[in-house]
Amino acid sequence: MLTGAGISAESGIVTFRGAGGLWEGFRPEDLATPAAYARDPEKVWRWYAMRYAQVMVAEPNLAHRLLAELEREKGDDFLLVTQNVDGLHQRAGSRRVIELHGNITRARCERCGHRQKLPPPVEFTPPPVCERCGSRMRPDVVWFGEFLDAGLLASAERAFMTAEVALVIGTSAVVEPAASLGRMARSAGVFLIEVNPETTPLTPLADLSLRDPATKGLEKLLGG
Ligand code: APR
């Protein structure tokens, strides 16, 4: 499985692209790049703290829960790869999760790399300080221009190329490696299913394409 921001849309978390999206009226380069952080760390942290607070009041929706249930059925034959940083899959009970873009509820030390959970939003004043070495910490997410964790990406690619079915839900499939994972699976002969209310660059490749929101699409595929 690969999920994107669209699976959390019905939990009230706004997606990045499209009308009303997070990137509308913002230039991602101003917020989600190493250069933006070097220029104005307070501004970048304010934006992440605001999104962190939104994520913490959101609840996983039926689509997250159906995927957690599917994992319980399939066990080791299941892998969930997500581009989302909201942690809602884990809160819904998913355990075999690869978070390609990190997690907004954690920070990472700029000096020693130590990761720690952020305090609850009401107690949180950015920037967080490393409990190990006292240095400033940055959001534990992957920014534009940064590399994904090579080991995680390799595991995701392996899973997509050897699966029976690859399911891609709620991603615009314009940011790599989302587009490539689906494409790779397809060219390896894996049955590719897409769930998205809009068409994407993956749509023409999909064996089955459901033009539905994630909850409805997954209910059709998995529920009952
Ligand atoms: N159910 C399923 N899909 C939905 C829903 C829904 N209820 N609502 C919207 N969508 C779809 C949109 O049609 C769109 O194709 O979700 C997709 C969201 O696309 P993006 O906002 O581009 O999100 P994503 O693909 O996850 O973005 C990739 O871009 O900025 C970066 O790091 C960020 O991980 C993110 C990456």
Side-chain angles (χ1 to χ4, degrees), residues 19-31:
L22 265 182
W23 289 150
E24 200 178 57
F26 276 116
R27 293 184 337 139
E29 315 84 87
D30 290 341
L31 290 162

Side-chain angles (χ1 to χ4, degrees), residues 6 168-173 194-200 203 209-214 217:
V168 177
I169 308 159
T171 173
S172 56
E194 179 182 58
V195 179
N196 196 314
E198 311 282 337
T199 58
T200 75
T203 308
S209 201
L210 298 182
R211 287 284 73 72
D212 286 316

Side-chain angles (χ1 to χ4, degrees), residues 9-25:
E10 292 164 271
S11 292
I13 298 178
V14 280
T15 59
F16 294 94
R17 295 171 184 80
L22 265 182
W23 289 150
E24 200 178 57

Side-chain angles (χ1 to χ4, degrees), residues 14-111:
V14 280
T15 59
F16 294 94
R17 295 171 184 80
L22 265 182
W23 289 150
E24 200 178 57
F26 276 116
R27 293 184 337 139
E29 315 84 87
D30 290 341
L31 290 162
T33 61
Y37 188 61
R39 208 164 40 235
D40 195 344
E42 287 80 18
K43 176 175 165 191
V44 172
W45 258 120
R46 270 199 307 278
W47 192 66
Y48 278 94
M50 182 266 289
R51 286 178 55 209
Y52 168 53
Q54 286 171 355
V55 157
M56 293 309 278
V57 295
E59 292 294 334
N61 64 50
L62 179 64
H64 297 105
R65 291 198 300 275
L66 286 171
L67 289 182
E69 211 171 293
L70 185 63
E71 177 184 337
R72 283 192 289 275
E73 272 169 37
K74 301 279 177 196
D76 285 338
D77 289 337
F78 179 95
L79 180 69
L80 176 53
V81 180
T82 187
Q83 302 172 92
N84 297 347
V85 294
D86 57 31
L88 289 182
H89 285 301
Q90 289 89 333
R91 282 170 55 197
S94 288
R95 290 295 167 261
R96 293 167 180 84
V97 184
I98 289 185
E99 291 179 314
L100 285 177
H101 293 171
N103 191 309
I104 202 172
T105 69
R106 287 191 310 254
R108 186 167 86 231
C109 179
E110 290 174 32
R111 182 139 155 267

Side-chain angles (χ1 to χ4, degrees), residues 37 107-114 116 127-138:
Y37 188 61
R108 186 167 86 231
C109 179
E110 290 174 32
R111 182 139 155 267
C112 74
H114 174 67
Q116 69 197 38
V129 170
C130 179
E131 61 198 5
R132 289 252 175 97
C133 75
S135 303
R136 191 178 68 182
M137 302 186 88
R138 55 165 277 179

